[in-house]
Amino acid sequence: MDREETVEDLLRRHAPQVLGALVRRYGHFDAAEDAVQEALLAAAGQWPESGTPANPRGWLIRVASRRLTDQLRADEARARREETAARLEPRETRAAPSDDDTLTLLFLCCDPALAPAARVALTLRAVGGLTTAEIARAHLVPEATIAQRISRAKAKLRDHPFHPPGPGDRDARLATVLQVLYLIFNEGYTATSGAALHRADLAQEAIRLTRAVRRLLPREATVTGLLALMLLTEARSAARTGPHGELIPLDAQDRTRWDRAAIAEGTALVEEALSEGPPGPYQLQAAISALHDEARAPEDTDWPQILALYDVLVADWPDPMAELGRVVAVAMARGPEAGLTELTALEPRLKDHHRLWAVRAHLLERTGAPEAARAAYEEAARLTLSLPERRYLNTKAARLGRSGEPS
């Protein structure tokens, strides 16, 4: 890795923590974000020449704090200068600092004053570092809609003091925090667009943040379940792509490349989470991932048990992607024709999503309908914005041949 890449990685990693520190100290979310951006630009210009400071995070906080306080002072009238100086006193003198400033930022972005959709969008932008376009694709909504949500959320948080969640709103804010971390992880594990299938920086940051939340809430089954799900899923990442970045599906992966240490940790965590109370969606998905990871070969996968877990998941927490996963489990446990029958019910909600067409193509191919399968693969390739997925789907279609016969 060259020096420029090192600086870029450092800035990406520290940006949410620096923003969280400024918000905790001074409030003024919108102005703090501008100050952090100025500090990042200053670092990007200076560090490649002068060298990275021994404490990059501290350097960024000092520079951003100076920019923020200068700006706030400039915005105040001379007659209110004394009042402004009092308000600029860092809040650590009145409250103990958070263990992780990124967690402060997480809970601020999940403030109950914001609408749920705005909380998710703002957190993905401020903490996850996703672009507005990436957030829009993850939510299947127009980019302008996400931009408006983020703008309104920032406006609502302007000069809004941060308060840690209390007993009355903790569960709601925690649920949103976990949902956001899950979305960040998903974008990292399978990027919704671009040349790379896997964005390891996002996936690892989501895991790091979830570990931090679990340190604060070690007996919270939903947190434990989400961390287990991430570890069990990310454990397969090294085997998901070939030497040229091509996608390798689960049943064709070299399972010796799976991270057995992560699988062992994730399996222990999911067992712990399931023992702490009724299973929630993260615990159930983690249990499904554990069954996949425990299978030494594709034919060893316990599909009936996976289907039973999906039945519980979609009954209590219906979600189109979970229902699509259940369709695959039905096909593997009962045959592709049964899977195609189940897939029909999902068409009205997922007809424009490439994953529905990819599953349809796979099941049609298994039933001996290559021409229909080829057309479905081509439609899936047309709909996806991920280049590795598009190449994989087009390759599958090409192998079936234009006549519908395998080439």
Short mmCIF file of all heavy atoms in Angstrom, two decimals, residues 29-53:
data_model
loop_
_atom_site.label_atom_id
_atom_site.label_comp_id
_atom_site.label_asym_id
_atom_site.label_seq_id
_atom_site.Cartn_x
_atom_site.Cartn_y
_atom_site.Cartn_z
N PHE A 29 -24.29 20.01 15.15
CA PHE A 29 -23.99 18.89 14.27
C PHE A 29 -23.56 19.35 12.88
O PHE A 29 -22.54 18.94 12.35
CB PHE A 29 -25.19 17.97 14.16
CG PHE A 29 -24.96 16.75 13.31
CD1 PHE A 29 -24.53 15.57 13.88
CD2 PHE A 29 -25.16 16.78 11.93
CE1 PHE A 29 -24.29 14.45 13.11
CE2 PHE A 29 -24.92 15.67 11.15
CZ PHE A 29 -24.49 14.50 11.74
N ASP A 30 -24.36 20.24 12.28
CA ASP A 30 -24.09 20.64 10.90
C ASP A 30 -22.76 21.38 10.79
O ASP A 30 -21.93 21.10 9.91
CB ASP A 30 -25.23 21.53 10.38
CG ASP A 30 -25.55 21.27 8.92
OD1 ASP A 30 -25.03 20.29 8.38
OD2 ASP A 30 -26.32 22.07 8.34
N ALA A 31 -22.53 22.33 11.70
CA ALA A 31 -21.27 23.08 11.68
C ALA A 31 -20.09 22.17 12.00
O ALA A 31 -19.00 22.32 11.43
CB ALA A 31 -21.34 24.23 12.68
N ALA A 32 -20.29 21.21 12.90
CA ALA A 32 -19.22 20.27 13.23
C ALA A 32 -18.84 19.43 12.02
O ALA A 32 -17.65 19.18 11.77
CB ALA A 32 -19.65 19.37 14.40
N GLU A 33 -19.83 19.01 11.25
CA GLU A 33 -19.55 18.21 10.06
C GLU A 33 -18.72 19.02 9.05
O GLU A 33 -17.76 18.50 8.46
CB GLU A 33 -20.85 17.74 9.42
CG GLU A 33 -20.63 16.74 8.28
CD GLU A 33 -21.92 16.25 7.69
OE1 GLU A 33 -22.84 17.07 7.47
OE2 GLU A 33 -22.02 15.04 7.42
N ASP A 34 -19.07 20.30 8.89
CA ASP A 34 -18.28 21.15 7.98
C ASP A 34 -16.84 21.29 8.47
O ASP A 34 -15.89 21.24 7.68
CB ASP A 34 -18.93 22.54 7.87
CG ASP A 34 -20.26 22.50 7.11
OD1 ASP A 34 -20.48 21.51 6.38
OD2 ASP A 34 -21.05 23.44 7.25
N ALA A 35 -16.68 21.46 9.78
CA ALA A 35 -15.33 21.61 10.34
C ALA A 35 -14.51 20.35 10.16
O ALA A 35 -13.31 20.40 9.85
CB ALA A 35 -15.42 21.97 11.83
N VAL A 36 -15.13 19.20 10.32
CA VAL A 36 -14.43 17.93 10.12
C VAL A 36 -14.00 17.80 8.66
O VAL A 36 -12.87 17.37 8.36
CB VAL A 36 -15.31 16.74 10.55
CG1 VAL A 36 -14.67 15.41 10.13
CG2 VAL A 36 -15.52 16.75 12.05
N GLN A 37 -14.86 18.18 7.74
CA GLN A 37 -14.50 18.11 6.32
C GLN A 37 -13.30 19.00 6.03
O GLN A 37 -12.40 18.63 5.26
CB GLN A 37 -15.69 18.52 5.46
CG GLN A 37 -16.83 17.50 5.45
CD GLN A 37 -16.39 16.13 4.95
OE1 GLN A 37 -15.66 16.02 3.97
NE2 GLN A 37 -16.81 15.09 5.64
N GLU A 38 -13.26 20.18 6.64
CA GLU A 38 -12.11 21.07 6.43
C GLU A 38 -10.84 20.44 7.00
O GLU A 38 -9.76 20.53 6.40
CB GLU A 38 -12.38 22.42 7.09
CG GLU A 38 -13.46 23.24 6.39
CD GLU A 38 -13.60 24.63 7.00
OE1 GLU A 38 -12.63 25.12 7.60
OE2 GLU A 38 -14.69 25.21 6.88
N ALA A 39 -10.94 19.81 8.16
CA ALA A 39 -9.78 19.16 8.76
C ALA A 39 -9.29 18.00 7.89
O ALA A 39 -8.08 17.79 7.72
CB ALA A 39 -10.11 18.67 10.16
N LEU A 40 -10.21 17.24 7.33
CA LEU A 40 -9.84 16.13 6.45
C LEU A 40 -9.12 16.64 5.20
O LEU A 40 -8.14 16.04 4.75
CB LEU A 40 -11.09 15.32 6.07
CG LEU A 40 -11.81 14.58 7.20
CD1 LEU A 40 -13.10 13.95 6.68
CD2 LEU A 40 -10.92 13.51 7.80
N LEU A 41 -9.63 17.72 4.64
CA LEU A 41 -8.98 18.30 3.47
C LEU A 41 -7.58 18.79 3.81
O LEU A 41 -6.63 18.60 3.03
CB LEU A 41 -9.82 19.45 2.91
CG LEU A 41 -11.13 19.06 2.21
CD1 LEU A 41 -11.95 20.30 1.90
CD2 LEU A 41 -10.83 18.28 0.93
N ALA A 42 -7.45 19.40 4.99
CA ALA A 42 -6.13 19.87 5.41
C ALA A 42 -5.17 18.70 5.58
O ALA A 42 -4.00 18.76 5.16
CB ALA A 42 -6.24 20.65 6.72
N ALA A 43 -5.65 17.62 6.18
CA ALA A 43 -4.80 16.45 6.37
C ALA A 43 -4.40 15.83 5.04
O ALA A 43 -3.24 15.44 4.84
CB ALA A 43 -5.53 15.42 7.24
N ALA A 44 -5.37 15.72 4.12
CA ALA A 44 -5.07 15.13 2.81
C ALA A 44 -4.02 15.94 2.06
O ALA A 44 -3.24 15.39 1.28
CB ALA A 44 -6.35 15.04 1.98
N GLY A 45 -3.99 17.26 2.31
CA GLY A 45 -3.00 18.08 1.65
C GLY A 45 -1.65 18.09 2.33
O GLY A 45 -0.61 18.20 1.67
N GLN A 46 -1.63 17.96 3.66
CA GLN A 46 -0.38 18.10 4.41
C GLN A 46 0.32 16.78 4.69
O GLN A 46 1.55 16.70 4.61
CB GLN A 46 -0.67 18.80 5.75
CG GLN A 46 -1.15 20.23 5.60
CD GLN A 46 -1.47 20.87 6.95
OE1 GLN A 46 -0.88 20.52 7.97
NE2 GLN A 46 -2.43 21.79 6.96
N TRP A 47 -0.42 15.75 5.06
CA TRP A 47 0.21 14.52 5.54
C TRP A 47 1.09 13.83 4.49
O TRP A 47 2.15 13.30 4.86
CB TRP A 47 -0.83 13.55 6.07
CG TRP A 47 -1.50 14.03 7.33
CD1 TRP A 47 -1.27 15.19 8.00
CD2 TRP A 47 -2.51 13.34 8.07
NE1 TRP A 47 -2.08 15.29 9.11
CE2 TRP A 47 -2.86 14.16 9.17
CE3 TRP A 47 -3.17 12.13 7.90
CZ2 TRP A 47 -3.82 13.79 10.11
CZ3 TRP A 47 -4.13 11.75 8.83
CH2 TRP A 47 -4.46 12.57 9.92
N PRO A 48 0.70 13.76 3.22
CA PRO A 48 1.59 13.10 2.26
C PRO A 48 2.96 13.75 2.17
O PRO A 48 3.95 13.09 1.83
CB PRO A 48 0.82 13.22 0.94
CG PRO A 48 -0.62 13.33 1.34
CD PRO A 48 -0.60 14.13 2.60
N GLU A 49 3.04 15.06 2.48
CA GLU A 49 4.32 15.76 2.40
C GLU A 49 5.05 15.77 3.74
O GLU A 49 6.25 15.51 3.83
CB GLU A 49 4.09 17.21 1.92
CG GLU A 49 3.53 17.30 0.51
CD GLU A 49 4.49 16.73 -0.54
OE1 GLU A 49 5.72 16.84 -0.33
OE2 GLU A 49 4.01 16.18 -1.54
N SER A 50 4.31 16.10 4.81
CA SER A 50 4.94 16.27 6.12
C SER A 50 5.01 14.99 6.93
O SER A 50 5.71 14.92 7.93
CB SER A 50 4.18 17.34 6.92
OG SER A 50 2.84 16.91 7.17
N GLY A 51 4.25 13.97 6.52
CA GLY A 51 4.21 12.73 7.27
C GLY A 51 2.98 12.67 8.16
O GLY A 51 2.48 13.70 8.63
N THR A 52 2.50 11.47 8.40
CA THR A 52 1.33 11.28 9.25
C THR A 52 1.69 11.54 10.70
O THR A 52 2.69 11.00 11.20
CB THR A 52 0.79 9.84 9.10
OG1 THR A 52 0.48 9.60 7.74
CG2 THR A 52 -0.47 9.65 9.94
N PRO A 53 0.92 12.34 11.42
CA PRO A 53 1.24 12.61 12.83
C PRO A 53 1.13 11.34 13.68
O PRO A 53 0.45 10.38 13.30
CB PRO A 53 0.20 13.65 13.24
CG PRO A 53 -0.90 13.52 12.25
CD PRO A 53 -0.28 13.07 10.98
#
